[in-house]
Amino acid sequence: MSSRLTGRTALVTGSTSNIGRSIALAFAAEGAHVIVSGRDAGRGAAVVDAIRHDGGRADFAAADLDGSPAGSHALAEEATRRLGGRVDVLVNNAGVFPAPSTLDTDEATFDHVYGVNVKAAFFLTQALVPPMIERGDGVVINLGSWITRLGVPRGALYASTKGAVETLTRAWAAEFGPRGVRVNAISPGVVNPPEIATSELGPRDALMVGTPAGRAGHPDAIGAAAVYLASDEASFTHGIVLDVDGGRTGVAVAAA
């Protein structure tokens, strides 16, 4: 076990599977005490067991983040209690991705996606940042998406929520950075399910044709980026959106 986050505590929302799970595992492997959070207690217990099996520290806190201030504040209180009175790192990862077309999106779906992807993160940050400010130290990491900057035919609603999250990242960096709280974001690219090894072809690799990476990524790459942003190595890093996307949004590889 490494030690880049030894002595730190962290809450990772939506960490019972995929990218959130990889972030929780990576944090714990670097010495952090992690709260694994999500709706599925069985999957949460499996992540906690995996962390503890490898010598790490983790607990599960059930949460169905619907965007209500009460739901976010309740999770903040539970995580703070389980972590001994402080949360040093908040990772706003929980999100939903229904992808109806704009013409097929009803109001209930619109409100649900904004509630989970934007409002929940907003009110969770609102609850956990004040103690960070009092200590003069803390980290917030938000999860954006590659489709906020590269338009695709479907998923406009989801893309707009992630655009909002990336804007909040910059605004919060300005609001909280001078008071000791670093705020940054990660923009994952096309990522295969975690069970697909990096040496294997996956169902989403076709979306990466013509990029430098040439294939989809693995959730562990996002976990590694989150460790960097949570660590002291990123102490001079404020308000960025770190693209971990294999070059999908920024580079075009021309055929020879």
Side-chain angles (χ1 to χ4, degrees):
M1 181 177 293
S2 185
S3 59
R4 294 160 76 191
L5 299 178
T6 295
R8 307 286 178 86
T9 60
L11 167 61
V12 183
T13 66
S15 49
T16 60
S17 63
N18 297 324
I19 287 174
R21 177 181 182 274
S22 285
I23 294 173
L25 291 172
F27 277 15
E30 293 288 345
H33 183 180
V34 180
I35 293 297
V36 176
S37 178
R39 291 174 295 178
D40 191 315
R43 292 196 305 186
V47 179
V48 169
D49 288 346
I51 289 172
R52 292 177 178 174
H53 180 269
D54 290 336
R57 300 178 65 196
D59 295 286
F60 175 71
D64 186 3
L65 296 174
D66 59 1
S68 67
S72 292
H73 290 183
L75 176 57
E77 291 174 5
E78 178 68 5
T80 300
R81 182 185 69 81
R82 287 178 174 268
L83 293 172
R86 58 186 271 171
V87 177
D88 297 316
V89 182
L90 166 63
V91 180
N92 287 311
N93 169 74
V96 291
F97 182 44
S101 71
T102 298
L103 302 183
D104 294 328
T105 299
D106 58 27
E107 184 177 14
T109 299
F110 186 99
D111 290 344
H112 174 64
V113 178
Y114 262 86
V116 176
N117 293 6
V118 182
K119 287 182 66 180
F122 185 96
F123 288 113
L124 193 54
T125 301
Q126 180 190 74
L128 288 175
V129 160
M132 295 180 182
I133 291 173
E134 289 180 10
R135 297 191 303 269
D137 182 54
V139 175
V140 177
I141 301 172
N142 298 321
L143 270 292
S145 174
W146 64 281
I147 64 172
T148 63
R149 271 158 289 140
L150 186 66
V152 297
R154 296 183 67 85
L157 174 60
Y158 175 81
S160 71
T161 66
K162 289 303 183 178
V165 167
E166 292 187 6
T167 296
L168 283 171
T169 298
R170 291 182 286 270
W172 284 340
E175 185 176 358
F176 305 136
R179 292 184 276 179
V181 181
R182 290 190 295 107
V183 185
N184 293 289
I186 300 170
S187 177
V190 180
V191 176
N192 274 324
E195 62 271 17
I196 304 297
T198 54
S199 60
E200 301 173 347
L201 292 177
R204 299 169 184 169
D205 287 345
L207 292 171
M208 292 294 287
V209 173
T211 67
R215 57 160 299 144
H218 188 275
D220 287 353
I222 315 304
V227 167
Y228 162 70
L229 289 177
S231 74
D232 289 339
E233 296 165 21
S235 62
F236 199 54
T237 304
H238 292 261
I240 71 161
V241 178
L242 179 59
D243 293 323
V244 186
D245 65 0
R248 185 68 179 87
T249 58
V251 182
V253 178

